[in-house]
Amino acid sequence: MRTVQPIHDERFKRFCRPQGDPDAIRRLAWRRSVVRQHLLLSLRQERADEELSYIVDHLARIPESAKHRVLAAPETGLYINSLLNGTTPDPQIVVPVIGRLAAASSPRSLQKFSWTGVLRLDYLPVGDRAIRIPGVTLDNPELVIDSQRIRLSSPTGGAIDVPIKPSEQMFKNCVVRANKLELVDGWIPFSDLFDDGNVSVNLDQSSRVVFLRLLEEAVKLINVVMPAALEEMQDTAQYLSPIRPKELETNVLPSFSSPILPGVIFVGIETGDGRLIDARHLAESCLHEHLHNRLYLLDEALPLTIQHANPRSYFSPWKQTMRTIEGMLHAVYVFSHLVWFWSNAGARVIGLAKYAANNVKEQIEHLKFATAEIDTDELTPVGRCILTASRNILENLTRESTSRHVVR
C-alpha cells in the first residue's frame, strides 16, 4: 500500500474539534491498514500456509481502496492476531476475510479451502452479503470460490451459495451488509465473551426488524447534529454487537469497546428484563463507543499517555471507581464530546430540548471534577492536546450556557 502521511498541525486540530474530521480518521485508519499489510507479508515469509498465501496474493491484485477495506475489517485484525499468537485462525474469521477478497478481486480460477470443526451460520459475512440461518451449522466446512460465486458446504450435506458480484437480486438466507454499524448478532467472534456481567443478544427476525428501525432513528439523530461522525464510523464502528445485562432487575444499560477489537462496538440494546432502549439512548451509545475508537486509532499512531512505575489512580465520577490515566483521559474526551452533541441536539431537534439539557447539566458537573484532577505529567504532548481540547469544549459550553441565562 502507498505510504500514508500522519495527521499533524491543522489536521490534528480538526481531529480535536467536537464536529469530527473524517479525513483525519481516514488517515489513521489507512496507517493501521499499512501496518497490518506489513505484518501479513512478514508472517507469510515465516510460514507455509495456503490461506495466508491466498490472502497476501489477492491483496496485491485489488485496488487500494478495496485493499484498505479488507485490511481494516475487524475480522482481519483477529486473523492477524491469531497468527501472531501461534494459533490456527477459526473459519468463522477466515471465511469472511477470504469472502471480502473474493468479492474485491473477481477470481479467475477455482479455489478450494476446507477446515475441521463446526462453522455456525447464525451470522456469517461472505463478500457483500451475510448468511443468516439461526441454529444451522456446517460440519468440516468446505469453501469453493469461482468467478461467479462463493459456495459453503459440508461433506455430510448442506450447501449455500453467495454471488461474488453485487446484485439487486435477493438470495435466500442472505442479507445485504452495511458499511458501518452492521448488526452482527450471532457472530461468535464478535459476541461479548468478556465475563463482564453482560450477555450477547441474538435477535429473532421480528425483533431484529424493530431494532433496525430504532437504529435508523438513532442514525438520523446523529446525522442532524454530528454528520461527520457517521462517515468516520466506516473505520471506527463497523460492527454493532448487541448486549444486555445478565441481572434482570437492573436499569443500567452497558456499552463498551476494546482496543483488542477495533471497529467493533458493544451496545446495550435491552434492559435486563428485555425492554428495548429508545433511539436517543441508542444514538448516544453508538456515538460514545465511536469516540473511544477514535482515540484507540490515534493512540496507535501517537501515544497519549506515559507509562510510570507508580501510576496514579483517579476517581471517576461516571463509574464511581478509581481509574488509570488512560481511562480518565478517554472519559473526559468522550463525555466532553457528548455534552457538545446534546447541547446542539437540544437546539436543533424539536422535542429534545429538556432531555438534552438534563444530559448536559449532569455531564458538565462530572467533567469539571474530572478535568481538575488529571496529572498532565502522565500525558504525552498529544495526550495533553486531547485534554486541552476537551477542556475548551467544556469552557465554551459553560460560557454559552451562562450567556443564555443572562439574556433571559
Side-chain angles (χ1 to χ4, degrees), residues 88-334:
T88 302
D90 192 280
Q92 296 282 166
I93 291 298
V94 182
V95 170
V97 173
I98 292 176
R100 279 185 182 268
L101 278 167
S105 62
S106 301
R108 304 186 191 102
S109 59
L110 193 72
Q111 184 73 42
K112 296 182 179 180
F113 300 96
S114 62
W115 299 270
T116 57
V118 174
L119 181 66
R120 295 179 52 164
L121 300 181
D122 296 77
Y123 188 83
L124 184 70
V126 184
D128 70 326
R129 308 272 172 159
I131 300 168
R132 271 200 189 276
I133 316 179
V136 173
T137 60
L138 292 177
D139 296 326
N140 301 322
E142 298 176 345
L143 177 68
V144 176
I145 304 169
D146 61 30
S147 60
Q148 301 297 319
R149 65 182 181 177
I150 302 169
R151 164 165 283 201
L152 279 168
S153 62
S154 169
T156 58
I160 184 166
D161 291 339
V162 179
I164 284 180
K165 294 294 184 183
S167 70
E168 297 299 321
Q169 182 181 355
M170 297 301 294
F171 291 84
K172 186 179 180 182
N173 300 319
C174 286
V175 295
V176 177
R177 302 183 65 185
N179 63 4
K180 59 190 174 234
L181 295 176
E182 180 179 349
L183 184 60
V184 296
D185 60 308
W187 193 5
I188 289 298
F190 299 105
S191 297
D192 181 10
L193 303 175
F194 293 91
D195 191 24
D196 54 2
N198 304 308
V199 62
S200 286
V201 176
N202 286 355
L203 299 164
D204 60 30
Q205 183 58 30
S206 175
S207 299
R208 188 174 297 110
V209 169
V210 172
F211 176 73
L212 287 174
R213 287 177 185 155
L214 189 70
L215 181 60
E216 185 177 358
E217 289 181 47
V219 166
K220 286 180 180 177
L221 174 56
I222 296 172
N223 190 47
V224 168
V225 183
M226 204 170 172
L230 290 177
E231 188 175 345
E232 293 174 350
M233 283 179 182
Q234 293 184 31
D235 290 299
T236 64
Q238 292 180 44
Y239 297 155
L240 191 163
S241 182
I243 58 175
R244 65 170 173 79
K246 291 179 182 177
E247 187 180 337
L248 297 180
E249 297 181 0
T250 183
N251 289 320
V252 176
L253 286 164
S255 73
F256 67 92
S257 51
S258 170
I260 66 173
L261 287 174
V264 185
I265 63 173
F266 294 82
V267 176
I269 70 167
E270 296 177 350
T271 56
D273 60 5
R275 288 178 289 121
L276 199 63
I277 65 174
D278 62 29
R280 299 170 303 184
H281 197 134
L282 181 58
E284 178 172 324
S285 294
C286 290
L287 188 56
H288 183 127
E289 300 311 327
H290 154 68
L291 291 165
H292 278 299
N293 275 287
R294 285 179 106 241
L295 279 195
Y296 294 147
L297 261 175
L298 180 63
D299 195 37
E300 286 181 13
L302 302 168
L304 305 176
T305 60
I306 299 170
Q307 298 300 316
H308 284 278
N310 297 302
R312 281 193 59 186
S313 292
Y314 303 86
F315 181 76
S316 167
W318 297 281
K319 289 186 176 290
Q320 295 290 298
T321 58
M322 302 303 290
R323 302 294 305 280
T324 63
I325 184 64
E326 291 89 352
M328 284 300 286
L329 183 63
H330 266 259
V332 167
Y333 175 81
V334 168

